[in-house]
Amino acid sequence: MELKDLSLSKISELLDKKETTSREITEVFLKKIEEMDKKTNAFITVCYERAVDMADTADKRRAKGERGRFLGVPIAVKDNICTEDIKTTCASKILHNFIPPYSATVVEKLLQKGAVILGKTNMDEFAMGSSNETSYFGPVRNPWDLERIPGGSSGGSAVSVAGLESPASLGSDTGGSIRQPASLCGVVGLKPTYGRVSRFGLIAFGSSLDQIGPLTRNVRDCALLLEEIAGYDEKDSTSLPVEVPQYSSLLTGNIKGLKLGVPKEYFIEGMEEGVTKRIKEAIEVFKSLGAEIVDISLPHTDYGIAVYYLIATAEASSNLARFDGVKYGYRAEGLKDLKEMYIKTKKEGFGEEVKRRIMLGTFSLASGYYDAYYNRASKVRTLIKRDFEKAFEKVDAIICPTSPTTAFKLGEKTGDPIKMYLSDVFTINVNLAGVPAISIPCGFDEKNLPVGIQIIGDYLKEADIMNIAHAYEKAVSGFRFSPFI
Amino acid sequence: MSYEAVIGLEVHAQLLTDSKIFCNCSTKFGSNPNSQVCPICLGMPGVLPKLNKRVVEFAVMLGLATNCRINKSSLFARKNYFYPDLPKGYQISQYELPICENGYIIIKVKGEEKRIGITRIHMEEDAGKLIHEGGASLVDLNRTGTPLLEIVSEPDLRTAEEAVAYLKELRQILLYLGICDGNMEEGSFRCDANVSVRKAGETRFGTKAELKNINSFRFIQRAIEYEIERQIDLIESGGRVVQETRLFDSSKGITISMRGKEEAHDYRYFPDPDLMPVSFDEGFVEEIKAKLPEIPYDKRRRFINEYNLPEYDVEIITTDRDIADFFEETARLFNNPKTISNFIMTEILKELNEKKIGIRDTKITASLLAKLLTLLNENKINTNGARAILPKVMESGRDPESFIEELGLAQISNEDEILKMIDEVLKENQKELQEYLSGKDKLFAFFVGQVMKKSRGKANPKLLNELIKKRLDELASK
């Protein structure tokens, strides 16, 4: 049994055929984590014992004749998604000891199906970052080059897949946090339509932007995982009361006659040549598959980053107010009064980037600035949304790079937040509009680092973009999703 | 120089829903600290609010009862501030687009009706409580997430008396709708007052002070009166009123500065991204409208017209909706509204107040009261008898007639029997009789009293009066 072969669909096939047990598979992954994580630091918490117990339980259920795609299948979960009785830290000192008494709805769904949680993956603190360097538990390293960052904020989730530490993982995406690390680590990552997946139990960063999504080895696995976690949840008022298609059965691989838009605004100065080249090649592949390539324009693209850093931070400044040392998590010591408790707890409990964003967001909402910042940003957001709506009147999907660069070196951009924020230039507008998008590997640059291509769909068209991704994947026979194969 | 006060009120009314506004926890008052909490109202990481639809219904009810425009789409917003009793670090409230706007209620002060505008009514969640004990501050989050309606009035009030009349009227409306228990002591009906003064004839508003959390009508009256006087004195002595929040010290009867404008919070309101706009159609409003009870103002007017009762009576018997209903049901069975209202005011309310219960907590029904009043009307018992029977009926729900025998209350209407007692009394009180006959008319009441006493209160008073008169006249003409 080789780790590289253990995709989600392969695991359930092996379990169905009784060729192995959940325990055996779980232990193989746990062993890999033990070995790899010294180098990659992809996990904050590894559930060594609990995972084995869960695997045993799944094996017993299978022994009684029960079947299910996820029964006994191990998976990794980003550490901002609440897991009952398992520490959930958001990679922050302020929650370093927080054990939720409840699970996120997505976790609940997977647990009911008998999935095994391997552990909680490292991330940028409170999902704020594009390089996974802001974690209180140290940076995550890219298995393709350990001197490089894996992308962020779901860096640990992407690395756990690329490093063969898990067959698949859950991440969250507020401005590219699933797709950008997926791209930089050479795996598949999908951000669903806003409201497609319940946010209940996802520790909020930017509530109007956050979505949970899968990071997997291939598109089929992505479809399998998404159909498991998607759907209306009465605990989340913003989740959409819309039926969930069986995505995995809709991967026909036929994209003949589909119109794929290529936005001119997504080929910018400062983009690495290696990325441009691979994207152009990919476009040729789509042509060869019978898709029609259409030049389009998303005219308000340039405002995305500014709008995002006003709205996301405004929401974050409010969302993170609850971490005050009163009820749970870190509380500073040696305090003389309430005000000092607040100030010291937050000062010591939050990292630099989180504090920067809280201050930015507080400012954007402050009376006298609200209209100029938050309110203005909300209006421009509507324009960005309209850009996409107009585009989808003409095309079936939009293709563009996921990230302007491949994985950069640790420390390369930490001193320059604006430069760092530009890492998300191609992913951010998708969150502002609320549409779904997937990133899939499309080859390697001259440094042998993975490049990702992004396919953006109209609202609730996850099936379409996954099918386009699947057709491409098939046509190029898939790229290596891990340096270890 | 004469001054005019300008007063606007903000009322917070706790709603009588079983569960909290954004989770399923109970809203019961007085349970053990932190026994009615869950991850949602505790504001734990990752949880999301889910709106309780009853709260929307209640808000629409109050909006309709106060003549508001009902916004079929309204928004929840976050009001951001730090306090340990506010677990999320923000309160979910409504800001830019509240559920109800532009209403009014009519109050009556010194016989004059006055329309007081309602700017807005919005839904929000309550915060928890801090308990300071033994040098420590403890947090009780049971109240966190209890639904509130905030009712903001226009600055239409001019005196403390008007303010109190407005609050009483509003509280009564809430009680009639059955959406708030109106308990001021327990904080389910709380009031902040914005008070400013200006010289008579001036159209611009003066600088206002906000008086916070005053928990009785009496204190509100005193706080506002004090504040008006304070501001006038300040201006008269050449000073200026500053915009600030003031607390009422009930033991001293004065208001004290709590925080100034510079220290005022910037709440950084913005639409809550966790909740969808609150939307409903006309049908939803119509359904509520159809179920809406008559509001106190309408009821009072109708009672005056329909039952021909004095305003004073109506005021009293409509204070409580159950009493008003009870009155009306009785009036359908016993055709003398004034007798009913008298009896309710003097006897029934006395009983209820003594026992601190409501009419529905007793077993008396409209038909039982009608029977009791009929017995009285037919002189089978007298007022004293009715007074004795009432508590028994309230307690047992039995036919009033069944108590006449039991309590020995049957009225004596036999002329011979009464005459016999009259003669005895006159014989026993020769001195008084002589005085009466020589012109001391006042003693008539004395004889009535003596005979009544002899009959142990059972003599038919009307008959007794007639017979004494007759007997004394006979003696006088001799």
Side-chain angles (χ1 to χ4, degrees), chain B residues 374-382 401 404 409-413:
Chain B
T374 307
L375 293 174
L376 192 63
N377 202 34
E378 291 171 352
N379 289 325
K380 290 192 178 149
I381 52 170
N382 60 20
E401 200 159 6
I404 296 180
L409 294 170
Q411 185 151 273
I412 302 168
S413 296

Short mmCIF file of all heavy atoms in Angstrom, two decimals, chain B residues 374-382 401 404 409-413:
data_model
loop_
_atom_site.label_atom_id
_atom_site.label_comp_id
_atom_site.label_asym_id
_atom_site.label_seq_id
_atom_site.Cartn_x
_atom_site.Cartn_y
_atom_site.Cartn_z
N THR B 374 -76.84 40.23 40.49
CA THR B 374 -78.30 40.06 40.42
C THR B 374 -78.88 39.84 41.82
O THR B 374 -79.91 40.40 42.18
CB THR B 374 -78.64 38.88 39.50
OG1 THR B 374 -77.99 39.08 38.26
CG2 THR B 374 -80.15 38.77 39.26
N LEU B 375 -78.20 39.03 42.63
CA LEU B 375 -78.65 38.80 44.00
C LEU B 375 -78.74 40.13 44.76
O LEU B 375 -79.68 40.39 45.50
CB LEU B 375 -77.68 37.86 44.74
CG LEU B 375 -77.62 36.41 44.24
CD1 LEU B 375 -76.52 35.65 44.98
CD2 LEU B 375 -78.97 35.71 44.45
N LEU B 376 -77.72 40.94 44.53
CA LEU B 376 -77.66 42.25 45.18
C LEU B 376 -78.81 43.13 44.68
O LEU B 376 -79.51 43.78 45.46
CB LEU B 376 -76.31 42.90 44.84
CG LEU B 376 -75.87 44.13 45.60
CD1 LEU B 376 -75.69 43.82 47.09
CD2 LEU B 376 -74.54 44.64 45.03
N ASN B 377 -78.99 43.09 43.38
CA ASN B 377 -80.01 43.89 42.73
C ASN B 377 -81.41 43.50 43.19
O ASN B 377 -82.29 44.35 43.36
CB ASN B 377 -79.89 43.68 41.22
CG ASN B 377 -80.52 44.83 40.45
OD1 ASN B 377 -80.47 45.97 40.92
ND2 ASN B 377 -81.10 44.52 39.31
N GLU B 378 -81.58 42.20 43.40
CA GLU B 378 -82.90 41.72 43.83
C GLU B 378 -83.07 41.73 45.34
O GLU B 378 -83.98 41.11 45.88
CB GLU B 378 -83.12 40.29 43.29
CG GLU B 378 -83.29 40.28 41.77
CD GLU B 378 -83.28 38.87 41.20
OE1 GLU B 378 -83.00 37.91 41.98
OE2 GLU B 378 -83.54 38.73 40.00
N ASN B 379 -82.09 42.38 46.00
CA ASN B 379 -82.15 42.53 47.46
C ASN B 379 -82.11 41.22 48.22
O ASN B 379 -82.55 41.15 49.36
CB ASN B 379 -83.40 43.31 47.88
CG ASN B 379 -83.27 44.76 47.50
OD1 ASN B 379 -82.16 45.30 47.55
ND2 ASN B 379 -84.36 45.36 47.10
N LYS B 380 -81.60 40.17 47.56
CA LYS B 380 -81.48 38.92 48.30
C LYS B 380 -80.29 38.99 49.24
O LYS B 380 -80.22 38.29 50.24
CB LYS B 380 -81.32 37.76 47.33
CG LYS B 380 -82.61 37.49 46.57
CD LYS B 380 -82.58 36.19 45.84
CE LYS B 380 -83.93 35.99 45.15
NZ LYS B 380 -83.78 35.24 43.90
N ILE B 381 -79.34 39.82 48.92
CA ILE B 381 -78.24 40.14 49.84
C ILE B 381 -78.01 41.63 49.77
O ILE B 381 -78.47 42.30 48.85
CB ILE B 381 -76.92 39.43 49.46
CG1 ILE B 381 -76.60 39.69 47.97
CG2 ILE B 381 -77.01 37.93 49.72
CD1 ILE B 381 -75.22 39.25 47.57
N ASN B 382 -77.29 42.16 50.75
CA ASN B 382 -76.92 43.56 50.65
C ASN B 382 -75.43 43.65 50.32
O ASN B 382 -74.76 42.64 50.13
CB ASN B 382 -77.27 44.31 51.93
CG ASN B 382 -76.54 43.71 53.13
OD1 ASN B 382 -75.54 43.01 52.98
ND2 ASN B 382 -77.08 43.96 54.32
N GLU B 401 -75.09 32.17 45.05
CA GLU B 401 -76.31 31.92 45.83
C GLU B 401 -76.09 30.86 46.90
O GLU B 401 -76.67 30.92 47.98
CB GLU B 401 -77.44 31.50 44.87
CG GLU B 401 -78.79 31.70 45.49
CD GLU B 401 -79.91 31.78 44.46
OE1 GLU B 401 -79.63 31.56 43.26
OE2 GLU B 401 -81.05 32.08 44.88
N ILE B 404 -75.24 32.13 50.40
CA ILE B 404 -76.15 32.96 51.19
C ILE B 404 -76.52 32.25 52.48
O ILE B 404 -76.33 32.76 53.58
CB ILE B 404 -77.42 33.32 50.38
CG1 ILE B 404 -77.02 34.17 49.18
CG2 ILE B 404 -78.42 34.04 51.26
CD1 ILE B 404 -78.18 34.59 48.30
N LEU B 409 -76.38 35.03 55.14
CA LEU B 409 -76.38 36.39 54.62
C LEU B 409 -77.71 36.83 54.02
O LEU B 409 -77.83 37.94 53.55
CB LEU B 409 -75.29 36.53 53.56
CG LEU B 409 -73.86 36.39 54.05
CD1 LEU B 409 -72.93 36.32 52.87
CD2 LEU B 409 -73.49 37.52 54.99
N ALA B 410 -78.69 35.91 54.08
CA ALA B 410 -79.94 36.27 53.42
C ALA B 410 -80.46 37.58 53.98
O ALA B 410 -80.48 37.81 55.19
CB ALA B 410 -80.96 35.16 53.65
N GLN B 411 -80.83 38.45 53.11
CA GLN B 411 -81.24 39.78 53.52
C GLN B 411 -82.64 39.72 54.15
O GLN B 411 -83.50 38.96 53.72
CB GLN B 411 -81.27 40.69 52.30
CG GLN B 411 -81.58 42.11 52.63
CD GLN B 411 -80.94 43.04 51.65
OE1 GLN B 411 -79.80 43.44 51.79
NE2 GLN B 411 -81.67 43.37 50.61
N ILE B 412 -82.82 40.51 55.19
CA ILE B 412 -84.15 40.54 55.82
C ILE B 412 -84.99 41.59 55.11
O ILE B 412 -84.68 42.78 55.15
CB ILE B 412 -84.05 40.87 57.32
CG1 ILE B 412 -83.15 39.83 58.01
CG2 ILE B 412 -85.44 40.89 57.96
CD1 ILE B 412 -82.74 40.22 59.41
N SER B 413 -86.02 41.12 54.41
CA SER B 413 -86.89 42.05 53.68
C SER B 413 -88.33 41.95 54.19
O SER B 413 -89.24 42.49 53.59
CB SER B 413 -86.84 41.75 52.19
OG SER B 413 -85.52 41.99 51.72
#
